[in-house]
Structure formats: C-alpha cells, structure tokens
Amino acid sequence: MNKKYISPIIFGFVAGVLMVVPVIKSLGCCLLLPVAAFFSLMLDQKANNDYTKLDIKKGVIFGLITGLVAAFFGTFFDFLITLITHKNDFVITFPKLIETINSFPVDKLTKEEVIGILSGIVENITESGFSSIYIISLFVKNLIMNTIFGILGGIIGVQILNSRNKNME
Amino acid sequence: MSLKAKFVISFAILLWILGIFIEFVIPYFNQLSYAYPFLSRIYSTVCHQQVEKLIVFDNHSTLVCSRCSGIYIGGFISSFILLFVSKLKIKSGKFMIFASFPMLIDVFLYSIGAYNYSKIFAFITGVIFGLVGIVYIYNGFQILIEKNE
C-alpha cells in the first residue's frame, strides 16, 4: 500500500478497534467513521506539513480507505472476541429475533428455514465460537455501512479543513 | 448538482426507507424473511431500535424508531422536491437550528417527564428535521462540487 495512505489506515484501524468496545460501539458507525475519516485527513496534513486546499477526491479516497480498513479490523476483532467468549450481540438478541420472525405471516416452510439458518449460526457460535455465515454477513454489513459513513466523513472533513486552513492564512 | 446525481441520492434514500418497512412487505414477499436478520443488524447501527418507540401497525414494526423514520421520510420528501429545484442558495444555518428545535424540545420534555413518549410527536418532529436537514446536505454537496469545478 502506498505510504501516502498511511493515515486512513491508522484511523481505520482505530475505528475498527472502537467498533467492538462496549458503550463506544453503541455510537455506531454513523459517528465513529466520519470522525475517523476526518482525523485521517488532518493527520495527513500534519504529517506532510501541507495545508494547501484539499480536493473532494482525496476526501472520498481517504474516507473509503478508512471505512474499508475499519470494516476489516472491526470484523476481525469481533471474530476474535466471539471465538474466545462464544458469545456476541447476535447470540444475545437471538430470542427476540426468533420471536419477531415467528410473528411473520409467512408460510411455515420459509419460517422454519430462516429459523433453522439462524439457529445453526447461534449453535456454531455457542459451541465453537465460529460461524462462517455470521462472519461473512458481519463483514458485508461493516463494508457497506463503514464505507458509506467513511466517505461522508471524508467529504465533510475536506470542507471543514479547507475552511479552517483558509481562516489560518 | 446534476439531475442525475440528485436522482441517485433520492433513489438511495427511497431504498433505505423501503428497508425500514421490510416487516410490512414480508407477508407479500415471503422470501424477504431471509434478508430480515441482516437488515435488522444494518439498521441497528443507526438507531437504538427500542421496541416501545418503533412504529407498529397490524403487528408489524419498523426497523428504526418513529423519530428516525420521520427523519428519513422527511429527507426523502425534500430530496424529491429538490429534483425540481435548479440551484439552492442557503447561507445561514438558522433554518437548520429552527428545524431541530421541535425535536430537541420533544426530547427534553418527555425526558423530564412532562409527558409520555409520543410516537406521533417523535415522527412529526423527525419529519421537520429531515425535510430541512437534507437541504443542507445538498447545499454542502453543491458548494463542494462548485469549488472543485
């Protein structure tokens, strides 16, 4: 990876770690990722001592990288914690989820199939601490949400940093 | 901002809103039951999903609370109207602050126990905030695009 993208990698990693920290993770990616993308742009400016006008493209790229790295590490740390504790948010909310699915007015076969898949995931997690379906779906979820909010943070971050640097001139 | 870009944003918000109401659609498209757990997890990252604050109709509930539903629906209405507005000129943040007042007052009043949580109030105040909020997001994008051209 090119050295010029080191700051979004660092803040993507930090966001990935924070995504699994209790209390902080409840802030969700809608706050964590935009802030991480913003700080990655700021760190890049400080490291290169370059306070010239940033363009949107850079904000988008930095936000995207921050989101991708956070998605990767967020999923990895969740995987590690699940592997050790054999427990995660999905297992905790499972009874409620089943209750909701049971209330759906859908055919019995579909309902049983969905519940069967979910029960299989919970069984795998509680027994071995690993479920491939869970990890893949978590990674896809993190990938979608983190990149969206990372890019938004990058775009807004460029605007804030440009106006701040303009005022400092 | 080009009409194409505006249309993409409107369509993306519409898709997001449709996801919120997946429980209402499942009786007609049973196969969507498979997507429900995944979508529920996605929306859990943007909303607390407290059961007593969800919009419930005919035993089906939304995947986000009344206020969030209001914000997104308000945002979509605004984004649809903005398809027909060629250029925005917003220089003051006053409207945004005014639009957030009903929401903040509602949160404050029910938090101190002045009245019980009302889904209708939460929804309406959310719609007001969403209607104005999206205009500022569009305006921000417009400024950014113009500065880069």
Side-chain angles (χ1 to χ4, degrees):
Chain A
M1 178 68 78
N2 198 322
K3 212 176 174 181
K4 68 180 177 180
Y5 296 126
I6 198 78
S7 65
I9 293 171
I10 292 170
F11 279 98
F13 175 77
V14 172
V17 173
L18 294 177
M19 274 166 67
V20 292
V21 175
V23 184
I24 296 173
K25 73 174 174 187
S26 62
L27 292 173
C29 58
C30 47
L31 196 67
L32 267 179
L33 264 298
V35 172
F38 170 74
F39 279 120
S40 74
L41 285 164
M42 209 162 82
L43 179 69
D44 184 67
Q45 281 195 324
K46 274 193 192 276
N48 297 313
N49 206 18
D50 175 13
Y51 295 95
T52 53
K53 194 183 166 201
L54 295 163
D55 66 355
I56 296 179
K57 203 177 156 191
K58 187 168 184 174
V60 171
I61 294 169
F62 271 49
L64 181 71
I65 296 171
T66 308
L68 290 174
V69 175
F72 176 78
F73 283 106
T75 311
F76 176 70
F77 289 123
D78 194 292
F79 157 76
L80 269 188
I81 291 168
T82 308
L83 198 67
I84 297 164
T85 62
H86 291 207
K87 206 174 168 186
N88 58 26
D89 288 350
F90 182 73
V91 176
I92 294 165
T93 57
F94 178 68
K96 177 78 193 62
L97 193 61
I98 293 299
E99 204 180 292
T100 310
I101 290 168
N102 268 324
S103 70
F104 290 162
V106 298
D107 59 278
K108 206 179 163 197
L109 192 72
T110 310
K111 213 185 276 187
E112 278 174 0
E113 222 172 329
V114 174
I115 293 172
I117 295 169
L118 297 174
S119 304
I121 294 171
V122 171
E123 207 177 292
N124 285 340
I125 291 171
T126 46
E127 278 176 11
S128 63
F130 176 77
S131 162
S132 54
I133 302 174
Y134 171 76
I135 289 299
I136 293 166
S137 66
L138 180 71
F139 183 61
V140 173
K141 183 208 97 178
N142 285 345
L143 212 59
I144 297 169
M145 300 303 283
N146 291 3
T147 48
I148 291 173
F149 285 102
I151 290 171
L152 277 177
I155 292 171
I156 296 164
V158 165
Q159 200 175 20
I160 294 169
L161 289 171
N162 279 348
S163 74
R164 200 186 69 165
N165 295 340
K166 202 175 169 184
N167 291 335
M168 281 165 66
E169 276 170 12
Chain B
M1 205 190 304
S2 70
L3 184 68
K4 195 179 159 187
K6 285 179 183 178
F7 184 78
V8 169
I9 294 176
S10 280
F11 187 68
I13 300 173
L14 178 65
L15 277 182
W16 183 256
I17 290 171
L18 289 177
I20 292 169
F21 293 97
I22 188 173
E23 268 196 41
F24 298 81
V25 190
I26 282 174
Y28 309 102
F29 302 97
N30 290 0
Q31 300 305 314
L32 285 174
S33 308
Y34 294 97
Y36 178 83
F38 183 69
L39 282 180
S40 179
R41 293 275 291 171
I42 283 194
Y43 287 105
S44 73
T45 58
V46 291
C47 179
H48 50 73
Q49 297 180 319
Q50 285 174 24
V51 182
E52 66 278 10
K53 293 179 180 175
L54 304 177
I55 297 173
V56 184
F57 184 75
D58 199 18
N59 263 339
H60 303 304
S61 55
T62 49
L63 290 185
V64 293
C65 69
S66 307
R67 200 180 309 282
C68 288
S69 302
I71 292 172
Y72 297 132
I73 290 171
F76 173 69
I77 295 169
S78 229
S79 72
F80 183 75
I81 295 168
L82 287 168
L83 284 174
F84 309 102
V85 178
S86 56
K87 193 162 182 172
L88 282 168
K89 277 182 188 170
I90 301 167
K91 288 179 180 169
S92 164
K94 266 190 279 182
F95 296 113
M96 184 74 167
I97 294 165
F98 285 137
S100 64
F101 270 155
M103 199 170 72
L104 297 173
I105 291 168
D106 181 40
V107 172
F108 177 72
L109 289 177
Y110 90 75
S111 298
I112 61 164
Y115 54 77
N116 290 330
Y117 179 84
S118 161
K119 289 179 188 178
I120 297 168
F121 276 176
F123 182 78
I124 293 170
T125 55
V127 168
I128 295 167
F129 183 72
L131 276 170
V132 179
I134 199 79
V135 176
Y136 279 85
I137 293 174
Y138 264 84
N139 193 48
F141 274 120
Q142 193 172 278
I143 293 166
L144 286 169
I145 291 166
E146 279 170 4
K147 276 184 180 174
N148 270 269
E149 275 171 356

